[in-house]
Amino acid sequence: MSLRLNACPAGRINIHGAASGLPVFEMSSADAGNTWLREDGPALDGVDVYLAADSDAAGAAVHLVFATYASNRMQYVKRTLPADGQAGAWHTETFTNRKTAQHYFKGFDVAVDSTGTPHVVYGLQYASSQDVYWSAELWHCRPENGGWSNELVATRAAATLDAAFHNPQAAWRDGVPVIVAHLRYNVMTGSDAGSQLFCARLDGIAGWQTELIAQRSDGYAGSDGDIFTGLSPDLAVDSAGRIHVSFSDLASWHVGGYQQAWMGQMRYAVHAGSWQLSVPFPQDAAAHEALGRSIVLPTVSGDEMAFVG
């Protein structure tokens, strides 16, 4: 089952989710969670319950995207929320991404622009056969001319390593999309060989501009070195246009020829003219301290931050 707590009109809490073989559902509360109402929406059409969601600027609709990692099938569901005595509504459509039998799906996200248009980003790993190294692809798609467009944002390949954009996250800044992702390299047997925190921003003239926000861990490492970072990114943009990213490092050891690794500590990057990095929640890799996914929550103005991990 996948669940998502979503922004909604003042005084209302909405949770959207789905379980395999069941319709998308909405749980809503107008009294701070004391009582809940449930409404079922459309059934998922040939997709799993991997879920990404975002709300439009007015909080009047929630945009949900479901996908299955085994195929190129994705399903978009728009939930117009009840407001001012008006009933809510559901809209759904299915679209395809660029995945083929030679691709592995590596995660996706959805962000809604100021016009209420959803934009989906997703990562793929591609190889023409199992005998060559895998390259990374990052894609962006949106509704266009009655269908969904697919635009290649970035690719990465290494001569003797596999590459992939994992867990891409999307947000909007000054009317254009921003994407961050965990860019991971691994040897053919699967062990990590290095990773970075990757960023892509759309320039209306020059197209997609890419950069690495972080290339090394910060005091959290194993005997394999400090070349593993950018894991589990989360992205937000405040009203001043500052980009906020939380992410983690990876500590890696090889013992008896096998990798032992775990993700830990919470790191933070903010862009206001240039990238500034810090470690709000440091951990000790040698003591096996670890951390799951982190979330960055700036206030609207961006003057104060909250981190959840």
Side-chain angles (χ1 to χ4, degrees):
M1 176 180 287
S2 294
L3 295 172
R4 182 67 178 254
L5 177 66
N6 298 303
C8 50
R12 185 183 177 93
I13 302 171
N14 279 19
I15 297 176
H16 294 89
S20 182
L22 298 174
V24 180
F25 63 86
E26 174 186 273
M27 300 293 296
S28 62
S29 174
D31 57 5
N34 291 311
T35 58
W36 292 88
L37 297 175
R38 171 172 174 151
E39 180 176 337
D40 286 344
L44 295 180
D45 183 14
V47 295
D48 294 332
V49 294
Y50 296 100
L51 166 64
D54 194 19
S55 301
D56 62 24
V62 177
H63 304 254
L64 311 171
V65 176
F66 298 87
T68 175
Y69 279 34
S71 76
N72 64 352
R73 191 176 183 85
M74 304 178 80
Q75 187 167 349
Y76 165 68
V77 178
K78 179 181 178 180
R79 169 57 168 162
T80 303
L81 300 175
D84 300 327
Q86 301 296 314
W90 297 90
H91 166 77
T92 183
E93 57 188 279
T94 302
F95 64 100
T96 59
N97 58 51
R98 298 286 297 188
K99 185 185 182 304
T100 69
Q102 288 77 43
H103 285 96
Y104 283 115
F105 203 69
K106 292 298 179 180
F108 68 103
D109 193 26
V110 59
V112 181
D113 65 24
S114 59
T115 69
T117 301
H119 296 250
V120 178
V121 297
Y122 59 93
L124 297 177
Q125 191 176 36
Y126 170 78
S128 57
S129 75
Q130 293 289 346
D131 301 323
V132 299
Y133 288 96
W134 296 75
S135 61
E137 299 178 358
L138 185 62
W139 290 86
H140 162 246
C141 59
R142 63 179 180 178
E144 190 174 87
N145 298 325
W148 287 76
S149 66
N150 268 288
E151 175 188 20
L152 184 62
V153 175
T155 61
R156 291 293 184 272
T160 58
L161 296 171
D162 294 333
F165 292 107
H166 290 259
N167 302 321
Q169 301 292 302
W172 283 86
R173 177 180 183 267
D174 298 332
V176 296
V178 178
I179 304 169
V180 297
H182 169 214
L183 176 55
R184 177 181 182 261
Y185 297 93
N186 62 273
V187 299
M188 187 171 285
T189 53
S191 294
D192 288 85
S195 58
Q196 299 97 35
L197 180 62
F198 173 90
C199 179
R201 288 179 283 172
L202 183 60
D203 184 300
I205 299 175
W208 288 99
Q209 304 298 298
T210 65
E211 61 182 320
L212 296 177
I213 301 172
Q215 301 183 58
R216 295 188 177 275
S217 59
D218 188 346
Y220 188 89
S223 60
D224 289 341
D226 64 350
I227 57 172
F228 310 100
T229 191
L231 285 78
S232 189
D234 191 62
L235 171 66
V237 177
D238 64 33
S239 61
R242 288 174 294 222
I243 305 169
H244 305 263
V245 186
S246 66
F247 61 103
S248 292
D249 293 329
L250 183 80
S252 175
W253 293 259
H254 272 77
V255 179
Y258 295 92
Q259 184 186 27
Q260 296 181 0
W262 45 84
M263 182 176 73
Q265 77 177 11
M266 185 184 300
R267 298 183 64 186
Y268 169 61
V270 58
H271 187 279
S274 62
W275 289 105
Q276 303 295 322
L277 303 179
S278 60
V279 186
F281 186 72
Q283 289 185 298
D284 185 352
H288 295 185
E289 294 180 350
L291 182 72
R293 183 185 177 212
S294 63
I295 300 174
V296 59
L297 300 168
T299 59
V300 173
S301 65
D303 295 329
E304 295 182 3
M305 307 298 302
F307 299 94
V308 180

